Amino acid sequence: MRKYQCLFVSLLVALSAEAQPLAKEYKSTGEGNPLSGSVFCADPTAVEYNGRLYVYGSNDNQQYLKNRKTGGNGYGDIRSLVVFSTADMLNWTFHGTIDVAKLCASWGWRFAASWAPSIVRRTTADGQDEFFLYFANSGGSIGVLKASSPVGPFMSPLKKPMIDGDTPGVKPCNWIFDPGAVVDDSGQGWIAFGGGDPQPSGSKLWPGNSRIARLNASMTGLDGAAVLMPAPYLFEASELNIIGGRFVYTYNTSWSDRDDWSSFAGRNGQPAPSTCSMCYMVSDTPLVPDSWEYRGEYVPNEGNFGMGWGNNHTHLHKFKDKYYLLYHSTLLEQTMKEGGAMDSEASGYRSIGIDEVRVTESTQTLGKMTLTRAGAAANGTLDPYQLQQAETMATCGGISYEDFSNIEKNTAVSTLGNDASANQQVRMTESSWIFLRRVDFGATGASRFLLRARGEGTVEIRIARKGAKAEATFSIASDTMSDYAVDVDPARFQGVKNIYIVASAGTELYLDAWQAESAGQADNLQIVRLDDSRVEQSDDSLYDLQGRRLGAAPTVGKGIYIVNGRKVVVR
């Protein structure tokens, strides 16, 4: 009889878990696009660093909050940039925002907005990494930020825009924006930019607004005048790549008709590109206008999943020996509207997606793209035995980020600081959840989970399904960030699993980070929050603001810590 009672109790527990209504998802757990299931962002750029791909974009979410979550996206209040990163193409860490308005406060009236970033990395002669983040200062100029790590701290090396209408070679150019930067194989920096309706002296086919220039040694100015690029039907979204030793320039075409296409002698048998599509050109000598060879359309205008948002802005990037195309669409907006989570009057709030693209390096040929909901295939697994920020997820339901409350309250007086947000936490309430794909617990399995959190409530770890029974249960009761540890059955956490972190109770929970301990691991593992001091570590391995391994000095509070079994001394 006792055996049947136990089975009955187990069944009730399982049914209770299944019956608990959980927050709705607006990015499917089985799909990779968009990157975020909760953050609007657009105009992607990316840089690889220490095995991770860092992605930056225009912060459409800032405009969405400024508009009180309704109305059209007018872009004018976008004054920050978002930062994500991944190592596996499935799980993305949201590093928060770069407060460009605060960084460029010394510009005075010259600063207007921060759109369409482009980031490059170079290594100096003494082995130091430098990151240069260019951005469109609305449609009238281009600014630059500089840092020694991909998440900052960033600073403005200039007290004004880097490129404007007075820069030699720029005029006439309707929109001085959408920078696309690259560092070539010799270490020389280049930048392309420009867009808008045709010049009075131009035409639909030749608008006359595209420019390219060599960057100077500091990467914060031009080495010589900008030069006109002959880009047919150019409208916006300039990007540069070096592929097979040659320059590859990509851009977004205009909405004008194509009745003058036949007059283009260099069309190379290509049909006229569709309106608002992505096209590309190739050159060996970028400052010689006639050297550019038009190659055609590689991203046709498919209405971005058939959802009616016309423009696009792409970034092509090679990562772990595969090429990926980052772009934006209104996929998240449309799913939120369909689910009743977004005002029907809200429009134009974009989200970044990613798909693999076929690139033939020897001929600089880009395969024609189809944008998908599935997104890029896995390019690795998530290591649970490394510190994982709560902001790392494949998708989610019902969560929010603490730093966006700062933007919502007052964009002029933001507490975000000068780098990707160090105060980032995930806010959860009862029924909210985080989903992680392909978490590799190995053959030994995990025997313990550690969670850093504050608030009052219950957080559970579940396997495979949102409604599955809890494999680990954390009872959170603390006004400050505290560490909680729960032992688990290693047999349940072996191999590659999809897991959910679920708030099953509580109204105000904040999650900072989590980590698993393997069955054979030392018992002194701790989670460490990286904040405001410098670190010395015996093997010279350093970490960024979100706990990722970096080559620049990270920050923690003073003390002695154990990170993955290694002693860290903070003086």
Side-chain angles (χ1 to χ4, degrees):
M1 183 66 181
R2 184 174 180 82
K3 176 181 178 182
Y4 291 110
Q5 286 177 331
C6 290
L7 288 173
F8 180 67
V9 170
S10 298
L11 179 61
L12 285 178
V13 170
L15 288 173
S16 176
E18 291 283 6
Q20 182 189 32
L22 294 182
K24 189 166 183 177
E25 65 197 58
Y26 298 104
K27 170 189 174 181
S28 169
T29 55
E31 295 172 348
N33 283 327
L35 305 189
S36 173
S38 58
V39 178
F40 294 116
C41 49
D43 309 317
T45 184
V47 67
E48 181 179 356
Y49 193 57
N50 285 357
R52 294 188 70 81
L53 185 69
Y54 290 80
V55 175
Y56 308 73
S58 304
N59 190 0
D60 280 22
N61 225 85
Q62 186 172 19
Q63 185 71 65
Y64 181 56
L65 295 175
K66 184 70 175 181
N67 288 356
R68 300 185 182 276
K69 301 184 178 183
T70 190
N73 185 357
Y75 316 121
D77 289 295
I78 299 176
R79 298 178 180 180
S80 57
L81 301 170
V82 298
V83 189
F84 290 87
S85 75
T86 187
D88 57 22
M89 287 295 154
L90 299 179
N91 302 289
W92 293 85
T93 301
F94 179 50
H95 293 283
T97 57
I98 301 170
D99 190 349
V100 183
K102 184 173 181 179
L103 290 170
C104 298
S106 64
W107 293 17
W109 61 269
R110 294 180 180 88
F111 178 80
S114 55
W115 307 338
S118 181
I119 191 166
V120 294
R121 168 195 169 197
R122 74 169 181 182
T123 304
T124 63
D126 58 357
Q128 299 300 308
D129 289 311
E130 295 180 322
F131 295 83
F132 296 91
L133 184 58
Y134 305 92
F135 65 92
N137 180 36
S138 188
S141 61
I142 291 168
V144 59
L145 304 176
K146 183 180 179 181
S148 58
S149 95
V151 292
F154 284 91
M155 50 85 69
S156 176
L158 306 174
K159 296 187 181 298
K160 62 178 183 178
M162 186 183 83
I163 300 172
D164 59 21
D166 293 328
T167 303
V170 169
K171 289 183 178 178
C173 180
N174 284 343
W175 297 342
I176 306 169
F177 80 156
D178 284 10
V182 73
V183 175
D184 67 23
D185 297 338
S186 70
Q188 174 63 54
W190 302 82
I191 190 166
F193 58 93
D197 294 326
Q199 294 293 326
S201 59
S203 65
K204 290 177 293 186
L205 178 61
W206 302 117
N209 292 312
S210 181
R211 301 289 185 274
I212 188 168
R214 193 195 321 263
L215 289 165
N216 64 16
S218 70
M219 301 281 285
T220 60
L222 301 189
D223 179 13
V227 172
L228 173 69
M229 295 180 69
Y233 301 120
L234 170 121
F235 189 69
E236 58 186 343
S238 292
E239 276 287 319
L240 283 172
N241 280 88
I242 304 293
I243 300 176
R246 305 188 75 194
F247 289 80
V248 177
Y249 171 68
T250 69
Y251 64 97
N252 186 253
T253 64
S254 67
W255 281 270
S256 66
D257 61 55
R258 308 301 198 228
D259 56 10
D260 51 358
W261 178 246
S262 61
S263 66
F264 177 29
R267 60 188 184 277
N268 295 323
Q270 298 280 349
S274 56
T275 58
C276 209
S277 63
M278 298 301 302
C279 293
Y280 74 111
M281 306 192 303
V282 175
S283 173
D284 290 309
T285 51
L287 297 182
V288 179
D290 291 342
S291 71
W292 287 97
E293 176 192 353
Y294 176 78
R295 292 289 187 85
E297 180 180 84
Y298 70 100
V299 184
N301 183 359
E302 300 173 333
N304 289 341
F305 305 97
M307 294 180 179
W309 182 247
N311 84 329
N312 213 323
H313 191 128
T314 67
H315 175 77
L316 182 67
H317 206 97
K318 188 176 184 180
F319 178 64
K320 294 185 177 179
D321 295 323
K322 293 183 178 181
Y323 277 94
Y324 297 93
L325 189 76
L326 289 140
Y327 54 87
H328 66 230
S329 72
T330 52
L331 181 56
L332 179 61
E333 174 188 289
Q334 295 300 324
T335 17
M336 288 179 68
K337 283 183 177 179
E338 290 165 4
M342 194 170 181
D343 192 289
S344 61
E345 297 302 313
S347 63
Y349 298 101
R350 303 158 296 177
S351 48
I352 294 174
I354 189 167
D355 280 284
E356 195 171 339
V357 58
R358 291 177 289 106
V359 175
T360 305
E361 291 183 336
S362 59
T363 60
Q364 301 81 46
T365 303
L366 310 186
K368 190 164 284 192
M369 288 291 299
T370 298
L371 312 183
T372 71
R373 290 176 182 263
N379 201 345
T381 54
L382 185 75
D383 183 358
Y385 305 117
Q386 296 289 327
L387 176 71
Q388 298 294 339
Q389 293 297 311
E391 305 86 52
T392 299
M393 60 191 74
T395 188
C396 59
I399 67 105
S400 60
Y401 297 105
E402 186 179 27
D403 88 331
F404 275 147
S405 67
N406 296 329
I407 291 177
E408 186 177 9
K409 287 175 184 175
N410 190 334
T411 58
V413 184
S414 171
T415 61
L416 299 185
N418 292 348
D419 18 350
S421 308
N423 65 341
Q424 191 76 346
Q425 299 163 16
V426 173
R427 180 179 180 271
M428 302 183 78
T429 59
E430 183 174 343
S431 84
S432 59
W433 51 273
I434 292 167
F435 175 59
L436 297 120
R437 295 175 69 180
R438 290 182 56 80
V439 183
D440 190 356
F441 292 97
T444 305
S447 61
R448 182 183 297 179
F449 274 86
L450 301 103
L451 181 72
R452 173 159 284 193
R454 66 180 173 90
E456 187 170 347
T458 304
V459 176
E460 298 176 353
I461 295 178
R462 304 176 183 179
I463 297 175
R465 294 177 295 108
K466 291 194 291 287
K469 70 181 182 69
E471 302 289 346
T473 302
F474 298 89
S475 297
I476 311 301
S478 174
D479 292 333
T480 59
M481 278 293 172
S482 301
D483 292 342
Y484 296 84
V486 172
D487 292 335
V488 296
D489 180 2
R492 297 290 296 154
F493 289 95
Q494 291 177 333
V496 178
K497 306 285 187 183
N498 292 338
I499 67 170
Y500 291 84
I501 301 175
V502 179
S504 57
T507 57
E508 194 83 3
L509 287 166
Y510 290 90
L511 271 58
D512 179 34
W514 66 271
Q515 195 167 18
E517 181 179 342
S518 71
Q521 196 168 350
D523 198 40
N524 62 353
L525 188 64
Q526 297 180 32
I527 293 177
V528 177
R529 174 90 178 158
L530 301 177
D531 292 317
D532 296 316
S533 303
R534 296 178 71 82
V535 167
E536 288 183 19
Q537 190 168 339
S538 58
D539 66 350
D540 296 325
S541 297
L542 302 175
Y543 297 81
D544 72 11
L545 296 174
Q546 298 296 326
R548 302 297 175 190
R549 196 179 296 275
L550 289 176
T555 56
V556 298
K558 293 180 179 179
I560 298 175
Y561 302 92
I562 302 296
V563 179
N564 299 327
R566 293 177 176 173
K567 183 181 290 186
V568 178
V569 180
V570 183
R571 304 185 192 283

